[in-house]
């Protein structure tokens, strides 16, 4: 199992919240609930029926890793790392919806004393996230059903383009902890959306963010980050393949539309980065 001891100590059984310890090729709690460790080093702490979507597919994860490792979203990774580096003694940094672990690894590189935990529902993503950094572990979970972490065990939560469970985020964060959320703005990849028929950014995304976090968190930082991109046609196909539009455009139709673009395509990555503190308990 690729799980630093400090990360394992923060995990809890998703069924009874008991502590988890290694037992052969699995993790188990005192009540006898056991969870298998995959050969790639992550542990699945999913319970009940698997989510209908199953998270990102193998092809989506492959595209995501290729695009991110090419450095296209490096400005965002650098900004996340800088925000976490300003947190005194962050301890455990948990990335909820971590995907391949790209952002988590960049954060851990910037904060030598921190540990990391990649949480995701996709087994394909977890296979890569388990190996993203030597100070990180990876676990499968559905954020809507709860996070397999002890109360107050995380110093920082990172959430990039992923579901947000406000009450659970509040439960697992330390009282002095920090939540950093990244969402796309309406301009994100705007040059491609119309030309390729991609899924639009929800215009009510900011309203939904406030609704999901407002009862449990105070907003303490809000900034926009735009990054100009010069994408080859291959890059364009990759960025489409790593997102939800991959499920809505056939490969042949996508190739036809991409071929009509200028090369390189001038595209804007546009992010909103918000920083939140847990609201004190009444």
């Amino acid at each position: 199992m690729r799980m630093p001891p400090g990360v394992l100590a923060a995990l809890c059984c998703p069924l009874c919240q008991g502590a988890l310890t290694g037992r052969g090729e699995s993790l188990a709690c005192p009540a006898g609930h056991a969870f298998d460790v995959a050969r790639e080093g992550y542990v699945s702490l999913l319970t009940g029926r698997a989510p209908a979507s199953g998270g990102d597919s193998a092809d989506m994860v492959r595209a995501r890793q290729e695009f991110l490792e090419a450095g296209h979203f490096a400005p965002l990774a650098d900004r996340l790392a800088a925000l976490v580096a300003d947190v005194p003694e962050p301890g455990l940094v948990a990335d909820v919806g971590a995907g391949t672990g790209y952002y988590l690894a960049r954060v851990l590189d910037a904060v030598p004393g921190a540990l990391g935990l990649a949480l995701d529902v996709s087994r394909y993503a977890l296979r890569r996230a388990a190996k993203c950094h030597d100070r990180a572990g990876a676990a499968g979970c559905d954020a809507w059903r709860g996070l397999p972490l002890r109360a107050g065990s995380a110093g920082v939560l990172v959430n990039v383009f992923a579901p947000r469970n406000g009450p659970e985020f509040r439960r697992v964060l330390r009282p002095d902890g920090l939540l950093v959320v990244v969402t796309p703005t309406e301009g994100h990849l705007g040059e491609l959306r119309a030309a390729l028929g991609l899924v639009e950014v929800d215009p009510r995304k900011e309203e939904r963010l406030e609704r999901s976090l407002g009862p449990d968190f105070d907003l303490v930082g809000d900034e926009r980050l735009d990054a100009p991109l010069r994408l080859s046609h291959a890059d364009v196909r990759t960025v489409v393949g790593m997102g939800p539009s991959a499920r809505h455009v056939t490969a042949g139709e996508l190739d036809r539309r991409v071929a009509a673009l200028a090369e390189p395509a001038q595209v804007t990555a546009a992010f909103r980065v918000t920083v939140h503190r847990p609201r004190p308990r009444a």
Side-chain angles (χ1 to χ4, degrees):
M1 180 177 61
R2 301 175 64 92
M3 185 78 68
V7 178
L8 177 57
L11 293 177
C12 68
C13 174
L15 296 172
C16 68
Q17 288 70 57
L20 291 172
T21 56
R23 184 180 299 173
E25 296 182 356
S26 65
L27 296 183
C29 71
H33 302 125
F35 306 89
D36 291 337
V37 175
R39 67 175 182 272
E40 294 88 357
Y42 70 90
V43 60
S44 178
L45 298 177
L46 286 164
T47 60
R49 181 176 298 177
S53 70
D56 288 349
S57 68
D59 287 342
M60 292 172 71
V61 169
R62 190 179 304 111
R64 185 178 303 277
Q65 181 153 18
E66 180 180 333
F67 191 83
L68 293 177
E69 289 189 350
H72 297 299
F73 286 178
L76 175 59
D78 291 341
R79 185 62 189 135
L80 290 173
L83 287 169
V84 179
D86 284 340
V87 178
E89 300 181 4
L92 178 67
V93 179
D95 188 345
V96 183
T100 64
Y102 170 78
Y103 296 109
L104 180 61
R106 294 291 289 267
V107 167
L108 294 178
D109 283 343
V111 190
L115 297 173
L117 175 63
L119 297 169
D120 206 282
V121 73
S122 167
R123 66 182 185 274
Y124 304 108
L126 290 167
R127 289 170 183 173
R128 298 174 187 262
K131 304 170 185 176
C132 74
H133 200 280
D134 59 5
R135 282 185 277 115
C141 76
D142 181 352
W144 294 121
R145 296 180 186 172
L147 303 178
L149 284 168
R150 293 185 295 103
S153 59
V156 177
L157 291 181
V158 175
N159 180 260
V160 182
F161 289 20
R164 296 170 296 277
N165 185 334
E168 268 298 276
F169 287 5
R170 176 67 184 84
R171 182 186 68 82
V172 304
L173 264 179
R174 298 185 324 221
D176 64 340
L178 198 73
L179 166 64
V180 184
V181 176
V182 180
T183 53
T185 73
E186 290 187 20
H188 184 59
L189 306 182
E191 299 90 345
L192 298 180
R193 289 206 308 272
L196 303 181
L198 307 184
V199 174
E200 292 290 333
V201 175
D202 183 355
R204 301 178 65 184
K205 186 170 285 289
E206 294 190 9
E207 177 185 331
R208 291 196 295 109
L209 177 64
E210 170 57 28
R211 189 166 62 248
S212 65
L213 298 179
D216 298 284
F217 289 88
D218 291 319
L219 179 67
V220 297
D222 190 343
E223 60 189 76
R224 300 301 199 273
L225 176 63
D226 290 353
L229 308 177
R230 290 168 54 86
L231 303 181
S232 68
H233 285 178
D235 293 330
V236 171
R237 285 189 290 270
T238 301
V239 75
V240 173
M242 76 186 210
S245 293
R247 296 189 172 109
H248 298 276
V249 182
T250 65
E253 180 61 19
L254 178 62
D255 286 344
R256 185 185 68 78
R257 296 177 185 179
V258 170
L261 297 174
E263 189 173 25
Q266 308 292 329
V267 181
T268 303
F271 312 102
R272 182 188 182 198
V273 183
T274 56
V275 182
H276 310 258
R277 292 282 188 187
R279 185 165 290 172
R281 299 292 189 191

